[in-house]
Amino acid sequence: MKTKSIETDPKKFKIAVVGAGSWGTAIADLLACKGYPVSLWAFEKEVKDHIQKFHENKIFLPNHKLSPNISASNELAEVISDKNLVVVVVPSHVMRNVAKKMSGHLSSDDIILISASKGIEQKTHLTMSGVISENLPIVQEGRLAVISGPSFAKEVAQKIPTSVTVACKNPEIAALVQHLFATPYFRVYSSDDIIGVELGGSVKNVIAIAAGILDGLGLGLNTRAALITRGMTEIRRLGLNLGANPRTFTGLAGFGDLVLTCTGNLSRNYTVGIKLGRGKKLEEILAGMHMVAEGVKTAKSVYNFSRKLGVGMPICHEVYRILYEDLTPKEAVHRLMTRTLKQELDEE
C-alpha cells in the first residue's frame, strides 16, 4: 500500500493525545519533548488545571515536570480537530463512548490514529482497534496503528531506556509512527500484527493479577516462573485462534510486557493481585485506587470469549473466579495444580 509523503516537521505536524492518565501523559510528554505541539484531552478538570498551571499531572503522574509544548483541555472536539495524528489512551471500558464522541471531529481521512489502550471489550470481545474501527470509519485501516510493550509510564517519563512495538497494516505508516516516537531512550520496533500486539498487551494484565496473587500468598519463585510461562501459553492460544502471528508473543508486546507486568511493583494489576492474595476483597481494593487496573475487566472478557471460542485458558479462568465468584486464591492454586496431567506443548 503506497502512502503519500507525510510532512512531520514539528512546526507543521499537529498531535493530539486523548486521555491524561499516567500513560497518556507520558506519551504526550515524550512527543512534546521532541518539539511537537501536543494537545492533551483530560477528562478531569483538576488534571487539566494542574497541567495548564503547573506543567504537572499531580494526580496520575506526580513529581514530573511536563514539557511546555503540552496544552491540556477538557474539550475533546477542540483537542482532536485539525490534527495530523491522534493517540488514544483511555481505559478500555470507555473506549467506545470516547470514540463515538470523537466522530465528526477528526480532520480528514488522512488522519493517523494510534491506540495505546489495552483491553478487550466485554460485550463484543473486540480489541481496542476493533472498537475504534466500528465507531470511527473515517480512519482508514492502513492508518490505524497500535502501540504496546513493556513500558511503565513513570519510567518512560523519567527517560529510562524503554522498547516497545508499533503495529500497523501499512508498513509505511508503521515506519512513520516508529520514527515519530523514537528517541535515544525510547526505542520503537515495527510490526504488521495488530491483533497479536493487542492481545499480548491485554491478556497479560490478567496473568499479572495471578502473579500478584501468588506473591500475596507468599509462594516462591518457582511458582511465579511457571505462572508466567503457562500464562504465555494461554495468551498464545487465544492469539493463534484469532489469526495472530505466533512470533509476536516472543517479542516485546508478548513476553516483554508479560514479564514486566508480572514482576514490577509499578504494575497496578500485579498490585491488585498481591492484595487479593493477602485476603482483601476486590471491592475494597478498587475503592482505594484512582487509576484503572485493566486486568479486572479484561478477566471477564477473556473468560467469556475463550469459552465461546473453545480455547483453554485455565489460569485466566481461575483469576475470573477469584474476582467474580469469590473463589479463594489457595483453592484456585490447588485446582490448577491438580488438573489432569497433559503434554506441555500444544499441537500447532
Side-chain angles (χ1 to χ4, degrees):
M1 186 187 299
K2 187 67 176 174
T3 303
K4 66 181 181 181
S5 177
I6 299 173
E7 175 61 68
T8 57
D9 183 335
K11 295 178 181 178
K12 302 176 181 178
F13 197 76
K14 300 175 183 176
I15 298 174
V17 175
V18 177
S22 58
W23 185 218
T25 303
I27 287 175
D29 193 51
L30 182 149
L31 295 167
C33 286
K34 293 189 70 174
Y36 292 102
V38 177
S39 298
L40 176 61
W41 177 73
F43 175 76
E44 302 88 351
K45 182 179 184 299
E46 187 178 10
V47 170
K48 182 266 291 184
D49 290 344
H50 285 167
I51 293 173
Q52 290 297 91
K53 185 175 182 180
F54 304 109
H55 293 293
E56 181 183 347
N57 187 334
K58 292 176 179 287
I59 295 177
F60 296 114
L61 196 66
N63 304 314
H64 176 74
K65 186 66 72 174
L66 299 171
S67 167
N69 289 332
I70 296 174
S71 175
S73 171
N74 295 131
E75 299 299 323
L76 182 58
E78 172 189 301
V79 165
I80 66 174
S81 62
D82 194 32
K83 297 299 188 295
N84 302 102
L85 180 142
V86 176
V87 187
V88 185
V89 202
V90 298
S92 62
H93 65 279
V94 301
M95 176 65 84
R96 182 171 293 273
N97 187 44
V98 171
K100 285 180 178 178
K101 291 180 178 179
M102 291 171 62
S103 181
H105 300 294
L106 296 176
S107 56
S108 72
D109 60 3
D110 284 340
I111 191 85
I112 298 171
L113 193 143
I114 304 171
S115 169
S117 299
K118 298 175 179 180
I120 299 173
E121 195 173 48
Q122 289 193 356
K123 290 185 178 180
T124 66
H125 302 142
L126 291 171
T127 57
M128 295 302 96
S129 67
V131 175
I132 290 167
S133 295
E134 272 197 359
N135 292 278
L136 293 171
I138 191 174
V139 180
Q140 300 175 36
E141 181 184 33
R143 305 179 83 84
L144 174 60
V146 300
I147 190 166
S148 190
S151 48
F152 285 145
K154 181 179 179 180
E155 294 194 358
V156 172
Q158 292 171 337
K159 296 181 170 54
I160 292 173
T162 301
S163 294
V164 299
T165 300
V166 61
C168 182
K169 295 296 184 185
N170 184 338
E172 294 182 37
I173 295 296
L176 183 147
V177 174
Q178 185 179 24
H179 286 87
L180 273 175
F181 276 76
T183 74
Y185 65 89
F186 196 79
R187 183 169 177 82
V188 186
Y189 290 85
S190 64
S191 168
D192 63 359
D193 185 15
I194 290 180
I195 188 66
V197 167
E198 287 192 291
L199 288 175
S202 300
V203 186
K204 58 91 184 181
N205 286 326
V206 183
I207 306 301
I209 292 176
I213 288 170
L214 297 183
D215 285 354
L217 288 170
L219 301 180
L221 299 178
N222 290 357
T223 319
R224 181 197 289 174
L227 182 280
I228 291 173
T229 307
R230 296 307 299 175
M232 177 48 68
T233 297
E234 296 189 12
I235 296 172
R236 186 174 181 275
R237 279 178 189 159
L238 183 60
L240 292 182
N241 190 279
L242 296 174
N245 183 338
R247 295 172 64 192
T248 296
F249 303 113
T250 66
L252 291 164
F255 255 121
D257 210 1
L258 180 65
V259 170
L260 179 74
T261 315
C262 287
T263 60
N265 57 15
L266 291 176
S267 166
R268 297 190 290 274
N269 297 286
Y270 174 75
T271 301
V272 166
I274 287 179
K275 292 177 179 179
L276 287 168
R278 291 175 178 169
K280 282 195 173 184
K281 294 295 184 182
L282 179 63
E283 296 76 13
E284 179 187 358
I285 296 167
L286 297 182
M289 299 177 67
H290 63 262
M291 288 192 277
V292 175
E294 285 284 4
V296 174
K297 292 185 182 296
T298 302
K300 182 178 287 187
S301 300
V302 170
Y303 177 78
N304 290 322
F305 196 24
S306 61
R307 293 179 73 204
K308 178 182 176 181
L309 296 172
V311 175
M313 302 184 72
I315 296 170
C316 290
H317 289 185
E318 294 304 301
V319 172
Y320 167 83
R321 293 186 179 104
I322 291 170
L323 294 174
Y324 295 104
E325 297 180 355
D326 288 327
L327 181 70
T328 67
K330 285 185 178 179
E331 178 62 19
V333 172
H334 178 74
R335 285 163 57 100
L336 286 169
M337 292 299 292
T338 57
R339 292 183 308 123
T340 303
L341 299 177
K342 304 174 182 292
Q343 290 275 351
E344 180 180 14
L345 302 182
D346 290 347
E347 291 185 9
E348 292 297 331

